[in-house]
């Protein structure tokens, strides 16, 4: 049988996905769409790599991935053939959350599924279904399941000194939806939003889908630059100021108390709502004062977003907003229009998880795990200082913001890491516009990887940095 | 102890909520916000009804509701007192999905929780957690869990003659989110959308949050008025044409095959995307041809929304879109920005539910249940023809669209029904703009109520209509 011909793929060089994954997906799609049929033979590795002008390893890895996911079969001494369509109940399909799972992932800031409280949460789900029967699968109130809102008020009060009533909460399907709903309520086409620079790109995306214009303000060691901020507020008259006051993403900066007070004063003076996005403030490895904008928000100008993805499980798709009183009904309406309500079953199960004390128990456990990994990565990073690598110790959160030596930029480093199956986040993804620091940093997270993987990953990183210096 | 004074409430006369529910919520909020304290005595029923200028019954019912939900306690011979804050684990809280549960609800088109496949779905959830462990609580791919997409392709192919690949599907957190994402991808401020008149108000809300302008086209017995439609397409150059081709909401109209063909021709001619919203097409009580726009969509101009809320359970918050090839990546991106992904656990559980054959089994069961209730309500409705009530037999779907006699309009009827704890949907909610038919119809759904409740509800309805005629 003749080998089939694969039409040349256009690689996306700006993609965070390594080429072999791009190639894997390209061929997978050809198979799924029936453009390559069952039994057909794929080109030999050398031929395809010549044709596509890529490294052999890229093709090898793409084929390996296709084999692992059941799309092709290797016949010894003969080559690779398109498999019968994967049986529907084939088991390995179900474990795949993302392609390319063999990679060491310093980019993801999500906890690894192996440390999720799967068993105890399963018990809660079962108890809820026993207790509430079909009501666990009905629509929930759009603003959220009332008892869960009571738990979260408790939590925010105890853990964050945020003194609110359940009434002020809007349950959302994760923090990202919180951002989406904020955008819908507060932004119209042409409105301005001021963010920190650098900042979380997923927030910028939301603001842009509302037709808003985003303006960045530099961040200093104690928080956003207030002089630059006030100047830009005067010029732009923004509707929203979007900040992360604790372990800022990606810089890990924590705002000083003074900066927080002055920020609140500015918000009142210019009548701007502040959106305070908090996904990791609980993950602090050093006793320190607890303050957030929301905790000190006397004029009710702060919309606070609380994600539970990092301290519980990202797949729950449950988070919360704390809403200024004047906006509560608009938020409920907007949530309704967005998806009616968040999952009744999951809200009820999280509620029970909290009331049984499992929430506290688990977040303590997570913090221990994170702390061990933090300290391990920190020690390995210290070791890189000799190559002029620099960073601040965040003492919390889930990543390091690492300044690279001048002889290597983050895009190149990111690519070199990828070739060795290590994923790091280059800084340009956090800088929406041209910016002098755009390619000077990488963000390294220890959330997803095991100690063993961190060790290997950091060795690869050292090796690449060392060799880059030698290249000069 | 003196009775406390309740500040006069502003009743919202346009609200679908009865006054007693409005009063209930008003007092509940006063309690929650701490403006009335534990142990305080509420005004006597007669005093409060005098002061608020409402019927005694309104106050009685509001108090009853407050008592049922644990906010107040009746002391025999003495009056009503604010309770200690409801204990957090108080059981009745958990069963409350919406306030006012004693009402006979002909407005909701959701199945009743008692007929949900709770047990078999629970088994699937447990199997999934056993099998996938923490991966059941990880982020899922934004476009959806691949094996579930295979199941849904199967389903759409078998049940709806829609021939697509899993690749064309975008899993969403319910049909409402499907609409939201369609709006984000296709609509910008000032764009036009053409809809049927009357139509689903939740869709109009989405289009409006995108800043779009909605234009209605009348619907005839075999579907939208094509002459009026073409005229309006020429004038407005709409981005989207939004229709429901089977058991249209609220008119129950089914499109003829010819109309579907001609609609597709128009979409190609004027390069408009058609959004076909399908929540109830499976619920057909008469053998008939199966055709939808999407099934006949050769030019890939139709975005098809499939809700599973009516045939499975609304609280799953899982539905799907079928996306034209040219738009797939934009939809994935927009889903990511909206809420990253839909629940991994629920997607995996629905997948297993399908593969075990439970889905088919359950939808058959649902259809049987619905059919019984449909026929019962139909027989009771026939009985109202003598009062000049008119309607068409839809032979499927979940409601009747009932034309009222000239001597009573739907707003008045709706209010009179509410006074007797019967909820019907007046037609004005489906007519966004002034329209001559705005107050001529009611929508009666048999989805949520038991046969017993339908019997009682229809008796109340007959009584009110009969008396209204007598009033002339």
């Amino acid at each position: 049988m003749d080998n089939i011909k694969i039409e040349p793929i256009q690689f996306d060089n700006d993609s965070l996905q390594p080429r072999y994954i791009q190639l894997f997906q390209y061929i997978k799609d050809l198979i799924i769409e029936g453009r390559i049929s069952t039994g057909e033979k794929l080109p030999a590795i050398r031929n395809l790599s010549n044709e596509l002008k890529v490294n052999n390893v890229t093709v090898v890895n793409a084929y390996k991935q296709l084999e692992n996911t059941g799309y092709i079969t290797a016949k010894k001494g003969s080559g690779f053939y398109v498999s019968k369509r994967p049986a529907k109940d084939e088991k390995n399909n179900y474990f795949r959350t993302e392609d390319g799972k063999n990679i060491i992932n310093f980019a993801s800031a999500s906890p690894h599924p192996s440390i999720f409280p799967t068993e105890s949460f399963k018990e809660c789900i079962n108890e809820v279904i026993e207790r509430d029967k079909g009501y666990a699968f009905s629509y929930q109130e759009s603003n959220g399941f009332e008892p869960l809102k009571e738990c979260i008020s408790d939590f925010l009060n105890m853990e964050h000194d945020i003194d609110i009533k359940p009434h002020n909460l809007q349950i959302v399907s994760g923090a990202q939806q919180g951002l989406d709903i904020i955008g819908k309520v507060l932004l119209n086409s042409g409105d301005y939003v001021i963010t920190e620079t650098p900042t979380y790109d997923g927030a910028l995306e939301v603001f842009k889908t509302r037709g808003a214009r985003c303006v960045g303000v530099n961040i200093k060691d104690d928080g956003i630059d207030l002089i630059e901020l006030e100047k830009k507020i005067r010029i732009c008259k923004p509707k929203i100021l979007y900040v992360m006051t604790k372990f800022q993403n990606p810089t890990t900066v924590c705002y000083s108390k003074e900066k927080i007070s002055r920020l609140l004063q500015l918000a009142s003076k210019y009548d701007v709502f502040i959106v305070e996005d908090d996904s990791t403030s609980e993950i602090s490895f050093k006793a320190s004062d607890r303050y957030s904008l929301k905790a000190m928000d006397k004029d009710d100008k702060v919309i606070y977003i609380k994600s539970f993805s990092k301290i519980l499980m990202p797949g729950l798709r449950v988070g919360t907003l704390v809403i200024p009183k004047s906006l509560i009904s608009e938020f409920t309406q907007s949530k309704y229009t967005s998806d009616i309500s968040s999952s009744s079953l999951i809200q009820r199960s999280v509620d029970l998880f909290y009331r049984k004390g499992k929430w506290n128990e688990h977040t303590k456990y997570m913090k221990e795990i994170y702390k061990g990994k933090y300290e391990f990565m920190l020690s390995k990073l210290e070791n890189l200082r000799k190559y002029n690598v620099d960073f601040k110790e965040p003492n919390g959160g889930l990543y390091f913001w690492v300044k690279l030596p001048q002889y290597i930029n983050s895009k190149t480093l990111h690519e070199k890491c990828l070739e060795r199956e290590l994923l790091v986040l280059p800084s340009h993804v956090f800088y929406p516009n041209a910016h002098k620091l755009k390619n000077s940093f990488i963000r390294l997270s220890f959330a997803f990887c095991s100690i063993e993987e961190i060790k290997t990953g950091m060795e690869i990183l050292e090796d690449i940095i060392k060799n880059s210096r030698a290249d000069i």
Side-chain angles (χ1 to χ4, degrees), chain A residues 258-281:
Chain A
E258 200 212 328
K259 196 145 261 188
I260 282 184
S261 306
R262 290 182 53 201
L263 202 50
L264 288 169
Q265 286 162 11
L266 278 186
S268 286
K269 182 173 170 188
Y270 294 102
D271 197 25
V272 187
F273 281 109
I274 305 182
V275 175
E276 181 177 34
D277 194 350
D278 173 14
S279 56
T280 57
S281 70

Side-chain angles (χ1 to χ4, degrees), chain A residues 426-466:
Chain A
S427 41
H428 69 86
V429 301
F430 300 102
Y431 291 99
N433 306 312
H435 195 281
K436 64 183 190 306
L437 296 174
K438 202 166 171 175
N439 293 310
S440 310
F441 290 81
I442 52 172
R443 197 193 78 174
L444 299 183
S445 175
F446 49 85
F448 192 77
C449 295
S450 65
I451 293 277
E452 200 48 51
E453 286 173 315
I454 295 174
K455 186 164 175 288
T456 311
M458 293 303 290
E459 280 163 11
I460 294 171
L461 194 63
E462 174 167 9
D463 203 41
I464 292 170
I465 291 177
K466 191 161 58 181

